[in-house]
Amino acid sequence: MSIVRWEPLREFSTLQNEMNRLFNTVFDAPSPGGNGTLRRGMPAMDLVESGDHFVLRADLPGLSEEDVKIELEDQTLTISGERKAEHETREEGYYRVERAFGAFSRSLQLPKGIDPEGVTARFDRGVLEVSIPKPEERKPRRITIGDQAKTIEA
């Protein structure tokens, strides 16, 4: 029987390698749906406040206007669509698919009072831009009683 010297720092290194392997398999693996959609396939979005509008920009490279659906229900704006898989199955050899494909949906809660008729959208070179008018400020309404004016906030 041989004596082996125990080195605790080597154990930490082994633990770190195992944790790295675990995280790589979790974040690089397809989602449980089995359709090859990667979790990181959600489009990046920016929301900017400018003047009398909110402007939402979403990066949707490789998609066309027909591939994207925009819905506004109550105060929830939802952008959804689907990226089609562009790779073919090969019988031999190995390949790696890193570009995400499959259905996606992102929702954003908007302030109360948004006029759905004023929302506009345009699509240019893979960037969707949605312009959302800010709701008008509610102003107090004056009601006159006799000769005196009272302000009642509605």
Side-chain angles (χ1 to χ4, degrees):
M1 177 185 208
S2 64
I3 298 176
V4 178
R5 183 176 177 181
W6 180 59
E7 295 180 20
L9 293 179
R10 187 181 323 165
E11 297 296 323
F12 283 121
S13 176
T14 303
L15 179 63
Q16 181 181 9
N17 288 340
E18 288 299 313
M19 292 298 288
N20 287 340
R21 186 182 61 77
L22 174 68
F23 280 110
N24 285 339
T25 58
V26 168
F27 292 113
D28 286 343
S31 67
N35 64 356
T37 304
L38 297 179
R39 290 183 185 134
R40 62 179 181 253
M42 290 295 172
M45 294 185 353
D46 294 336
L47 181 63
V48 179
E49 183 177 359
S50 65
D52 57 349
H53 281 76
F54 295 107
V55 179
L56 173 81
R57 290 185 187 94
D59 290 340
L60 302 168
L63 297 180
S64 66
E65 293 178 27
E66 294 80 29
D67 298 329
V68 180
K69 186 166 103 174
I70 305 168
E71 293 179 330
L72 180 60
E73 185 177 339
D74 296 325
Q75 290 91 33
T76 304
L77 178 74
T78 302
I79 297 172
S80 59
E82 185 172 3
R83 288 188 176 98
K84 307 288 185 206
E86 296 178 359
H87 64 278
E88 73 277 354
T89 304
R90 299 183 186 182
E91 294 184 18
E92 293 183 34
Y94 295 92
Y95 66 96
R96 181 175 175 131
V97 177
E98 293 185 351
R99 294 173 53 213
F101 62 93
F104 64 88
S105 178
R106 296 278 313 259
S107 294
L108 179 69
Q109 193 70 26
L110 299 174
K112 289 184 180 182
I114 296 289
D115 177 22
E117 299 300 320
V119 177
T120 59
R122 65 186 189 95
F123 196 86
D124 184 30
R125 295 181 293 163
V127 177
L128 173 68
E129 185 173 288
V130 181
S131 180
I132 307 155
K134 289 182 182 177
E136 290 185 23
E137 279 188 39
R138 299 187 75 177
K139 297 176 184 168
R141 190 179 70 173
R142 289 198 173 258
I143 299 173
T144 306
I145 302 175
D147 293 335
Q148 295 179 340
K150 284 192 175 184
T151 303
I152 300 174
E153 294 188 23

